[in-house]
Amino acid sequence: MSDHPPHSGFADLRANRRGVDRWAPVLVAVLLSCFAVQAISSMRQKSVTIDEMMYVAAGYYHLKTGDFTFNMTNTPLMKVISAVPLLALNPDLPPMEKAPRELSITDQWRYARAFMYDNRVDADKLLFAARLPTVALAIVLGLYLYIWGSRMFGSPAGVLALALFSFSPNILAHARLATHDVGLAAFMFIACYYFWRYLSAPSARHLLLCGVATGSAILVKTTAIFLAPVFIVFGLYCIAGRGGLGTWERLPFVSRVPADNPRARQAVSGVWALIAIGAVALVTLNAGYLFQGSGTSIASYPGHEGSADDSGLKQFVRSVPLPVPMPFTQVFLEQRALTATNANVYFAGELHRHGKWYLTAVAVLLKTPLALFVLLIAALAFAFRASPLLHAEWLALAAIGVVLFVFSFVVAQAPSVRYVLPMYPFMHLLVGRLAVPAVMNRRIARFGIPALLLWYLGASGSIHQHYLAYFNESIGGPSNGYRYLANSNLDWGQDLKTLKRYLDDRGVDRVNLGYFGSADASYYGIAYTYLPSVGLDPGESGGQWWYELDEPPRPVIPEPGVYAISATLLASPGWMADVFRDTYAWFREREPDDQVGYSILIYNVD
C-alpha cells in the first residue's frame, strides 16, 4: 500500500529525483563518514562522564559473569554492547566484597572506579573501546532514517533527513558516549519503522522485526515501554481514517468480520498485531536476560518477601509468577526508589523543589538548533497546506508527542535533552518532506532551505568537540548554558582532559579544583588543591569524598589563585542542593573569567 499523497508533486517524483538517486549511495556514505569522524575525533578529547564509568564496568561484569544483578539502575543491553570490545583487551575485574545486589550506589561507584583506573589496561584505552559501539549503533540509526525517508518521499528526502542527523549536536553529543540514550533512540526508531512497514504491507516478518526492536529498546531502557501508547495512538488514527491500513486477513478472526465493516476489521487486526508484537518483545526481553528468574513471583525476590500483616490482596499479588526476568523487575523497583527522591531541579539560576512540568520542553527549545525548528515548521506547514500528512508523518508526530508528554508529566526526572533524544530522528524524518519537487520548485525554498542548512551546519561546526554543551542562539549560545541548565545538558564531568590542556597552555602549575564527575584528575596529570567535589579524589588534603560527608562543607572563601569549578557543582541540583549549594555561593555571585569546554568555569582570584 503506497504512502505517497496523490497530488502531482509526487506523481513525477521519480523523474525529478533520478540525479539524487544515482548519487544517493555516495552521499549516504559521505554523510555517515562525516558523522563517524566528528564523533570519534571529539570523543578522544573528552574524559569519562559520570554515568559511563559505572556502565562500562557493569557491562563487562555482565559479560564475564552472566550476572545481571550488579548496577540495576537500568536494563543491561547497551552496557553489554559497550563492553563487547573490551573482551579483546581482557581487563581485570576487581574483586567484589559483597554480592552484587547488596552493593550500594556508592559501593558500585567505587568498584567501577577501581575497574577504570586501577586496571592493567589503560583507562583511556578502555573508554575509547567502550564508546565505539555507540557510534556504530548511531550509524545504523542513520541508515534506517535514510531508508525510511526515501520510502516516504524519495532519495532526496532521505539524504536531507540523514544530513540533519549527521550534524545534529544532540545526537553527536551522546553518540560518542558509552551510555543508553542513543541506543534507546535507535531501537525505538527501528521499532516504529517496522510498525509502519507492517501497517503498510502486513507480514509476519514486519511484526517479528517490530517485536524484536521493541524488546531490544526495553532492554536498553525501561522507558521504551511507552512505545505501546505510540502504537496505540497511531493505530486509532489509522482506524479513524477508514483506509483499511493494517488489515491482515491471516490474523485470527479477521476474515470473520464482514467486509463492509472495514473499521472493525482494522480493529481486530490491530489488537492481534499488538499482541504479537508484545509477545515477541517479551521473548526478546527474557532472552536478553538469559531467562534469569523468569516466571518467579515478587515474593521470592530478596528483600521483597512482604510480611504476615500484608492484606490478602497484597499477598496474592506478590505470589503471582511474572513473565519477566527477576533482574528486570528489580530494575523497575530500583528506578521507582530513585525517581521518588528526585527534587531540586535547576533552571535559570534557581532550584525548583519539585520541578516544573514545562522544563523538559524548555530544555529542548534551548538545546535544539533554531534552524531545525524553522525547517520543521516549514515542512509541517507545507504538508498541512498542500496535501494530507502521510501515515508515517502522523506516526512520527505521535512518537514525538508521547516522548515529550511522558518526560513532562509521567516520569519524574530532571529536565534533560538526553531523555527525549528519541524525538530527534523523527524530527529529521519530518523535515525530509522539504526535499520533494513540489517544495523545491518554489523560489523561496530553493534559496531558503540551503540558507537554513548552512545555518544548521554552522551551529554544529561551532560546537565541535563540545557537543554536550550545545545551546542555541536564543540565550546567546553555549557560553551562557550554565546560567540555565546543568548536569547532562552541559556538564557531565567530561572536560578534565580539556582542563589539562587549558592549564598547560597558560602555564598554570596548580589549580584549585571543584569537580563534578567520575574522571581521575591525577590520571590526566592535573596538579590540584582539593575543593569539595563529587568524584574528585581528596588525596592527602584532609578533605573527604562526597559520600563521607556528615555535614555540608564550609563555604569556600577563595585566596588568590586560579579556581576551576564544574558548572553542575555550582548549580548543585538534586541531592547536591543540601550539600554544596552554600559551599560555592561566592562563585555563583560572580562572572567567570573564562570557560573550559563550557562546562568548567574559571575564576582568577587576585
Side-chain angles (χ1 to χ4, degrees), residues 215-232:
S216 299
I218 297 171
L219 277 167
V220 169
K221 215 167 186 179
T222 55
T223 46
I225 61 174
F226 292 106
L227 276 169
V230 173
F231 294 161
I232 291 170

PDB file of all heavy atoms in Angstrom, residues 215-232:
ATOM      1  N   GLY A 215      11.450  -5.100  22.028  1.00  0.00           N
ATOM      2  CA  GLY A 215      12.084  -5.775  23.155  1.00  0.00           C
ATOM      3  C   GLY A 215      13.493  -5.288  23.400  1.00  0.00           C
ATOM      4  O   GLY A 215      13.920  -5.111  24.551  1.00  0.00           O
ATOM      5  N   SER A 216      14.234  -5.036  22.318  1.00  0.00           N
ATOM      6  CA  SER A 216      15.599  -4.524  22.448  1.00  0.00           C
ATOM      7  C   SER A 216      15.599  -3.129  23.053  1.00  0.00           C
ATOM      8  O   SER A 216      16.464  -2.794  23.873  1.00  0.00           O
ATOM      9  CB  SER A 216      16.290  -4.505  21.082  1.00  0.00           C
ATOM     10  OG  SER A 216      16.381  -5.807  20.542  1.00  0.00           O
ATOM     11  N   ALA A 217      14.627  -2.298  22.656  1.00  0.00           N
ATOM     12  CA  ALA A 217      14.534  -0.947  23.226  1.00  0.00           C
ATOM     13  C   ALA A 217      14.289  -1.013  24.728  1.00  0.00           C
ATOM     14  O   ALA A 217      14.874  -0.249  25.504  1.00  0.00           O
ATOM     15  CB  ALA A 217      13.416  -0.170  22.532  1.00  0.00           C
ATOM     16  N   ILE A 218      13.433  -1.935  25.161  1.00  0.00           N
ATOM     17  CA  ILE A 218      13.169  -2.088  26.595  1.00  0.00           C
ATOM     18  C   ILE A 218      14.411  -2.616  27.313  1.00  0.00           C
ATOM     19  O   ILE A 218      14.688  -2.248  28.459  1.00  0.00           O
ATOM     20  CB  ILE A 218      11.963  -3.012  26.823  1.00  0.00           C
ATOM     21  CG1 ILE A 218      10.703  -2.388  26.208  1.00  0.00           C
ATOM     22  CG2 ILE A 218      11.734  -3.269  28.317  1.00  0.00           C
ATOM     23  CD1 ILE A 218       9.506  -3.318  26.184  1.00  0.00           C
ATOM     24  N   LEU A 219      15.190  -3.456  26.643  1.00  0.00           N
ATOM     25  CA  LEU A 219      16.448  -3.936  27.216  1.00  0.00           C
ATOM     26  C   LEU A 219      17.480  -2.827  27.334  1.00  0.00           C
ATOM     27  O   LEU A 219      18.436  -2.935  28.105  1.00  0.00           O
ATOM     28  CB  LEU A 219      17.017  -5.074  26.367  1.00  0.00           C
ATOM     29  CG  LEU A 219      16.459  -6.472  26.632  1.00  0.00           C
ATOM     30  CD1 LEU A 219      16.876  -7.427  25.520  1.00  0.00           C
ATOM     31  CD2 LEU A 219      16.935  -6.994  27.989  1.00  0.00           C
ATOM     32  N   VAL A 220      17.306  -1.756  26.559  1.00  0.00           N
ATOM     33  CA  VAL A 220      18.200  -0.605  26.668  1.00  0.00           C
ATOM     34  C   VAL A 220      17.756   0.296  27.816  1.00  0.00           C
ATOM     35  O   VAL A 220      18.562   0.733  28.634  1.00  0.00           O
ATOM     36  CB  VAL A 220      18.230   0.193  25.352  1.00  0.00           C
ATOM     37  CG1 VAL A 220      18.946   1.531  25.538  1.00  0.00           C
ATOM     38  CG2 VAL A 220      18.915  -0.614  24.268  1.00  0.00           C
ATOM     39  N   LYS A 221      16.439   0.561  27.890  1.00  0.00           N
ATOM     40  CA  LYS A 221      15.924   1.458  28.914  1.00  0.00           C
ATOM     41  C   LYS A 221      14.433   1.170  29.101  1.00  0.00           C
ATOM     42  O   LYS A 221      13.693   1.016  28.122  1.00  0.00           O
ATOM     43  CB  LYS A 221      16.134   2.921  28.494  1.00  0.00           C
ATOM     44  CG  LYS A 221      16.438   3.858  29.634  1.00  0.00           C
ATOM     45  CD  LYS A 221      16.928   5.189  29.107  1.00  0.00           C
ATOM     46  CE  LYS A 221      17.375   6.082  30.270  1.00  0.00           C
ATOM     47  NZ  LYS A 221      17.872   7.382  29.777  1.00  0.00           N
ATOM     48  N   THR A 222      13.996   1.127  30.336  1.00  0.00           N
ATOM     49  CA  THR A 222      12.612   0.712  30.610  1.00  0.00           C
ATOM     50  C   THR A 222      11.598   1.699  30.047  1.00  0.00           C
ATOM     51  O   THR A 222      10.452   1.322  29.810  1.00  0.00           O
ATOM     52  CB  THR A 222      12.385   0.567  32.121  1.00  0.00           C
ATOM     53  OG1 THR A 222      12.752   1.794  32.784  1.00  0.00           O
ATOM     54  CG2 THR A 222      13.229  -0.560  32.694  1.00  0.00           C
ATOM     55  N   THR A 223      11.992   2.956  29.831  1.00  0.00           N
ATOM     56  CA  THR A 223      11.036   3.929  29.300  1.00  0.00           C
ATOM     57  C   THR A 223      10.577   3.576  27.891  1.00  0.00           C
ATOM     58  O   THR A 223       9.611   4.171  27.390  1.00  0.00           O
ATOM     59  CB  THR A 223      11.650   5.342  29.296  1.00  0.00           C
ATOM     60  OG1 THR A 223      12.977   5.284  28.757  1.00  0.00           O
ATOM     61  CG2 THR A 223      11.719   5.901  30.700  1.00  0.00           C
ATOM     62  N   ALA A 224      11.220   2.604  27.256  1.00  0.00           N
ATOM     63  CA  ALA A 224      10.770   2.167  25.932  1.00  0.00           C
ATOM     64  C   ALA A 224       9.399   1.504  25.984  1.00  0.00           C
ATOM     65  O   ALA A 224       8.781   1.292  24.940  1.00  0.00           O
ATOM     66  CB  ALA A 224      11.780   1.212  25.309  1.00  0.00           C
ATOM     67  N   ILE A 225       8.908   1.174  27.176  1.00  0.00           N
ATOM     68  CA  ILE A 225       7.545   0.612  27.263  1.00  0.00           C
ATOM     69  C   ILE A 225       6.525   1.613  26.733  1.00  0.00           C
ATOM     70  O   ILE A 225       5.402   1.229  26.373  1.00  0.00           O
ATOM     71  CB  ILE A 225       7.180   0.195  28.696  1.00  0.00           C
ATOM     72  CG1 ILE A 225       7.216   1.399  29.639  1.00  0.00           C
ATOM     73  CG2 ILE A 225       8.104  -0.914  29.189  1.00  0.00           C
ATOM     74  CD1 ILE A 225       6.722   1.093  31.033  1.00  0.00           C
ATOM     75  N   PHE A 226       6.917   2.886  26.655  1.00  0.00           N
ATOM     76  CA  PHE A 226       5.987   3.886  26.140  1.00  0.00           C
ATOM     77  C   PHE A 226       5.895   3.847  24.619  1.00  0.00           C
ATOM     78  O   PHE A 226       5.196   4.685  24.029  1.00  0.00           O
ATOM     79  CB  PHE A 226       6.386   5.273  26.635  1.00  0.00           C
ATOM     80  CG  PHE A 226       6.193   5.438  28.117  1.00  0.00           C
ATOM     81  CD1 PHE A 226       7.278   5.460  28.972  1.00  0.00           C
ATOM     82  CD2 PHE A 226       4.924   5.529  28.649  1.00  0.00           C
ATOM     83  CE1 PHE A 226       7.106   5.586  30.339  1.00  0.00           C
ATOM     84  CE2 PHE A 226       4.731   5.651  30.021  1.00  0.00           C
ATOM     85  CZ  PHE A 226       5.827   5.686  30.867  1.00  0.00           C
ATOM     86  N   LEU A 227       6.551   2.879  23.992  1.00  0.00           N
ATOM     87  CA  LEU A 227       6.232   2.596  22.593  1.00  0.00           C
ATOM     88  C   LEU A 227       4.795   2.113  22.458  1.00  0.00           C
ATOM     89  O   LEU A 227       4.156   2.320  21.414  1.00  0.00           O
ATOM     90  CB  LEU A 227       7.187   1.529  22.044  1.00  0.00           C
ATOM     91  CG  LEU A 227       8.541   2.009  21.526  1.00  0.00           C
ATOM     92  CD1 LEU A 227       9.464   0.828  21.277  1.00  0.00           C
ATOM     93  CD2 LEU A 227       8.381   2.840  20.251  1.00  0.00           C
ATOM     94  N   ALA A 228       4.283   1.460  23.496  1.00  0.00           N
ATOM     95  CA  ALA A 228       2.907   0.944  23.445  1.00  0.00           C
ATOM     96  C   ALA A 228       1.899   2.053  23.152  1.00  0.00           C
ATOM     97  O   ALA A 228       1.079   1.916  22.229  1.00  0.00           O
ATOM     98  CB  ALA A 228       2.573   0.212  24.738  1.00  0.00           C
ATOM     99  N   PRO A 229       1.903   3.173  23.899  1.00  0.00           N
ATOM    100  CA  PRO A 229       0.945   4.232  23.542  1.00  0.00           C
ATOM    101  C   PRO A 229       1.203   4.850  22.172  1.00  0.00           C
ATOM    102  O   PRO A 229       0.263   5.321  21.527  1.00  0.00           O
ATOM    103  CB  PRO A 229       1.119   5.276  24.663  1.00  0.00           C
ATOM    104  CG  PRO A 229       2.386   4.946  25.348  1.00  0.00           C
ATOM    105  CD  PRO A 229       2.571   3.468  25.186  1.00  0.00           C
ATOM    106  N   VAL A 230       2.465   4.863  21.718  1.00  0.00           N
ATOM    107  CA  VAL A 230       2.734   5.361  20.360  1.00  0.00           C
ATOM    108  C   VAL A 230       2.005   4.489  19.347  1.00  0.00           C
ATOM    109  O   VAL A 230       1.310   4.999  18.446  1.00  0.00           O
ATOM    110  CB  VAL A 230       4.249   5.370  20.065  1.00  0.00           C
ATOM    111  CG1 VAL A 230       4.509   5.731  18.592  1.00  0.00           C
ATOM    112  CG2 VAL A 230       4.976   6.346  20.974  1.00  0.00           C
ATOM    113  N   PHE A 231       2.141   3.175  19.484  1.00  0.00           N
ATOM    114  CA  PHE A 231       1.488   2.256  18.548  1.00  0.00           C
ATOM    115  C   PHE A 231      -0.035   2.345  18.655  1.00  0.00           C
ATOM    116  O   PHE A 231      -0.751   2.317  17.647  1.00  0.00           O
ATOM    117  CB  PHE A 231       1.934   0.818  18.829  1.00  0.00           C
ATOM    118  CG  PHE A 231       3.405   0.561  18.552  1.00  0.00           C
ATOM    119  CD1 PHE A 231       4.044  -0.541  19.104  1.00  0.00           C
ATOM    120  CD2 PHE A 231       4.139   1.412  17.752  1.00  0.00           C
ATOM    121  CE1 PHE A 231       5.390  -0.788  18.856  1.00  0.00           C
ATOM    122  CE2 PHE A 231       5.483   1.184  17.495  1.00  0.00           C
ATOM    123  CZ  PHE A 231       6.112   0.082  18.053  1.00  0.00           C
ATOM    124  N   ILE A 232      -0.535   2.459  19.882  1.00  0.00           N
ATOM    125  CA  ILE A 232      -1.988   2.501  20.081  1.00  0.00           C
ATOM    126  C   ILE A 232      -2.574   3.790  19.499  1.00  0.00           C
ATOM    127  O   ILE A 232      -3.592   3.760  18.784  1.00  0.00           O
ATOM    128  CB  ILE A 232      -2.327   2.373  21.581  1.00  0.00           C
ATOM    129  CG1 ILE A 232      -1.994   0.958  22.065  1.00  0.00           C
ATOM    130  CG2 ILE A 232      -3.802   2.685  21.834  1.00  0.00           C
ATOM    131  CD1 ILE A 232      -2.066   0.793  23.569  1.00  0.00           C
TER     132      ILE A 232
END
